[in-house]
Amino acid sequence: MQELANDIVHVLPAKNLNNWILFVNACHLLTKPLITDKEIDEAHSKLQLFCTRFQTLYRKSAMTLNMHLHLYLGKCAHEFEPIYAFWLFSFERYNGLLKNIKTNQKGGFESTMMKRFLERTYIGSFIQSFVNHLPQFAIDFLHRISNSQDQLAALHPSSTASIFSLSDFIEYSLNSRHSVLGCEPLPPSVFPIKLNQRITMCKGHYECLLEFYRHAYDSHNLFGHYSNWESNQIFVNNRIEKMK
C-alpha cells in the first residue's frame, strides 16, 4: 500500500493529488467502526469539496452517479450509525475469501472452510499473545510468515490503524456528553470471555432492565412477558449469560 501511495505521488499533479487525498481521508473516517457526529460532518465536508473540485479538474462529463451518492453517506451515518455496520462490501469480500479456500470436495467442506477462516482471522491475536514471552523480532517474523500484516501494523505506534482501547470504551459508554456511534466487536485480546450457563433474571432486576430499555429507546412497544407477546411487539428476554 505504501508503494502504491508513493507511485501516485509521482504520477498525479499536486492539485489532483490533494483532491484525491480529500476522498481518502473521508473514506478513512466513514469506514471506522466507531465515529462521532463531528467526524461524520467532517467526512461529508471533505466529500463535498472533493466532488466540487473533481468537476473542475476533470469536467462534468467525468462525474458519475456514485459521486452524487457520496453526498448522502453522512446522512446515512447519522441515521443508521456507522456504514461499517450495514454495508455489504466486506460481506461480499469474505464470500470471496471463503470460496478460495481449498477443500477436498468430498463433503464436510463447511467445517473445513470455517476452520481455515477462523485460523486466518485470529492468527494475529494468537501471535500477539506471546508478546511478553518472545523478542519483538520473533513476533514480527511470525506475523510476516503468517501474512497477518493487519495485526502487525497495529503493533507499531506509527500505524494509522484503529487500536481498541478498553479504557476509552468504558469512558465513552458511561459519559453521556460523548456523542459516539459504533458497531465494534470487542477483540479477543480484551479479556478471555468465558460464559456461565444461561440463567433467568430475578423479577426485580428484569423489571428494571425492561424499564431502562423503554426509556432508552423511547418506546413502550417493548414487551416483557412472552405469553402475552404479539408479532408487532418486541420481546425482551429475561434469560442472560454472565461472564466468569
Side-chain angles (χ1 to χ4, degrees):
M1 182 62 72
Q2 185 63 41
E3 293 178 358
L4 178 60
N6 291 335
D7 290 340
I8 293 177
V9 169
H10 295 299
V11 172
L12 287 179
K15 58 183 179 180
N16 300 66
L17 177 63
N18 291 336
N19 193 51
W20 174 247
I21 293 300
L22 285 173
F23 178 76
V24 173
N25 289 339
C27 290
H28 177 73
L29 288 171
L30 288 173
T31 55
K32 292 171 59 178
L34 293 173
I35 188 170
T36 64
D37 287 329
K38 182 179 179 181
E39 289 173 329
I40 294 174
D41 294 336
E42 180 184 350
H44 176 74
S45 297
K46 290 180 182 295
L47 287 175
Q48 197 170 32
L49 184 57
F50 164 76
C51 292
T52 302
R53 290 182 178 178
F54 185 94
Q55 182 174 346
T56 302
L57 292 169
Y58 303 100
R59 299 188 179 182
K60 189 175 181 179
S61 59
M63 302 287 286
T64 65
L65 178 61
N66 279 344
M67 300 185 71
H68 172 73
L69 297 177
H70 291 341
L71 304 181
Y72 291 92
L73 292 178
K75 183 178 180 181
C76 288
H78 277 303
E79 293 184 353
F80 302 108
E81 301 190 355
I83 55 179
Y84 170 91
F86 60 86
W87 266 9
L88 295 180
F89 293 114
S90 58
F91 177 80
E92 294 169 356
R93 174 176 175 268
Y94 279 118
N95 279 341
L97 293 175
L98 291 175
K99 182 184 69 175
N100 291 330
I101 293 177
K102 295 180 180 180
T103 62
N104 57 17
Q105 302 295 328
K106 294 182 179 179
F109 63 88
E110 297 93 343
S111 60
T112 300
M113 292 171 68
M114 291 312 301
K115 181 179 179 180
R116 296 291 180 266
F117 174 76
L118 291 174
E119 286 176 352
R120 295 179 184 179
T121 300
Y122 292 107
I123 184 64
S125 294
F126 177 72
I127 294 172
Q128 186 61 14
S129 66
F130 293 95
V131 70
N132 295 325
H133 306 283
L134 295 174
Q136 186 60 46
F137 77 87
I139 297 293
D140 292 347
F141 173 74
L142 291 173
H143 277 297
R144 290 192 186 97
I145 64 174
S146 64
N147 293 322
S148 55
Q149 295 303 315
D150 291 340
Q151 292 87 346
L152 180 60
L155 302 180
H156 301 288
S158 59
S159 171
T160 57
S162 298
I163 301 176
F164 179 83
S165 169
L166 182 59
S167 59
D168 289 344
F169 178 83
I170 295 174
E171 178 187 350
Y172 274 76
S173 65
L174 297 178
N175 193 335
S176 59
R177 292 179 299 173
H178 293 303
S179 177
V180 180
L181 303 174
C183 183
E184 181 180 18
L186 297 179
S189 57
V190 176
F191 45 72
I193 299 178
K194 295 182 179 180
L195 300 176
N196 287 317
Q197 292 184 345
R198 284 180 174 269
I199 61 172
T200 302
M201 298 177 65
C202 69
K203 182 178 179 181
H205 290 176
Y206 179 65
E207 289 178 350
C208 287
L209 176 66
L210 186 60
E211 187 62 28
F212 169 77
Y213 279 145
R214 286 172 174 167
H215 176 76
Y217 293 100
D218 192 23
S219 172
H220 290 279
N221 202 34
L222 302 175
F223 218 66
H225 299 285
Y226 186 76
S227 58
N228 299 324
W229 174 75
E230 298 178 3
S231 59
N232 63 336
Q233 296 171 321
I234 301 174
F235 171 65
V236 179
N237 202 341
N238 64 344
R239 300 277 291 172
I240 60 173
E241 286 179 305
K242 290 186 176 181
M243 289 186 294
K244 295 181 180 179

